[in-house]
Amino acid sequence: MTSTIVVLTEESLGSGDVENLRALMGEEPTRFDILVPADTGRNLLVDVLDNLSLLDFSAAFKDLTGGRQTKAEGVKEAVTELAESLEALQAAGLEATGSVTGEDPVAAVVETAKRTGASQVVVITTPHAIEDTFRTDWANEAQDRLGVPVLHLYSGSGFIGGS
């Protein structure tokens, strides 16, 4: 029987992410259902505080001076990130499908996990100091709503988030 792992990512999966996902497969056949949000619903103040806590002053300044995407730009970027992620997984010989989510990425994860009978959910993000500290990140929200394990990985690394 093929198991399903639902993956929510806020950016294109890189080679490190693909290898981390491969390690989760185990011995049984696994397919991945990739979700990329077109609108992350992020809060400007939280983004600025996250960037300042990570000493990324240029990103904090960009957030404050209007560096936000339009909805159309967000959808276009999400479609590109999804295509790149699917290509990376398929190039590694992994079975993967995916879609772009709407305004509530966690609701999309919950719906997809229930519809596919997912055995696990993986959330791949960059570090978000405020959300991770106060456990308001996507992984914690998904864990609260689902009865399957939710693993939070930081993009491009093997570091596990605080979920």
Side-chain angles (χ1 to χ4, degrees):
M1 181 174 167
T2 301
S3 70
T4 300
I5 297 176
V6 176
V7 179
L8 174 63
T9 182
E10 63 183 0
E11 59 187 32
S12 299
L13 297 176
S15 59
D17 302 318
V18 171
E19 288 310 310
N20 288 335
L21 292 174
R22 181 188 298 284
L24 295 174
M25 290 175 53
E27 297 297 317
E28 66 183 76
T30 304
R31 64 176 291 282
F32 295 93
D33 201 324
I34 310 301
L35 302 174
V36 180
D39 178 8
T40 60
R42 302 213 19 101
N43 179 293
L44 176 62
L45 177 60
V46 171
D47 280 349
V48 170
L49 292 173
D50 276 346
N51 288 324
L52 290 175
S53 71
L54 296 170
L55 303 177
D56 192 347
F57 301 116
S58 63
F61 181 75
K62 181 181 174 188
D63 285 340
L64 286 172
T65 58
R68 299 297 230 186
Q69 294 180 327
T70 65
K71 283 195 180 225
E73 291 170 335
V75 169
K76 183 178 180 182
E77 184 176 329
V79 167
T80 300
E81 290 168 345
L82 176 61
E84 291 171 352
S85 296
L86 292 175
E87 183 178 308
L89 288 165
Q90 291 163 355
L94 303 176
E95 182 183 346
T97 59
S99 60
V100 172
T101 72
E103 293 183 18
D104 189 349
V106 176
V109 166
V110 170
E111 187 277 323
T112 303
K114 288 180 179 178
R115 178 178 42 78
T116 62
S119 60
Q120 185 174 27
V121 172
V122 179
V123 176
I124 301 175
T125 67
T126 56
H128 297 293
I130 303 301
E131 292 94 332
D132 293 348
T133 299
F134 293 104
R135 299 194 176 276
T136 59
D137 57 275
W138 291 340
N140 275 293
E141 284 187 47
Q143 183 70 57
D144 289 344
R145 294 185 187 176
L146 289 170
V148 300
V150 177
L151 177 63
H152 184 190
L153 296 174
Y154 290 138
S155 182
S157 75
F159 292 112
I160 297 175
S163 57

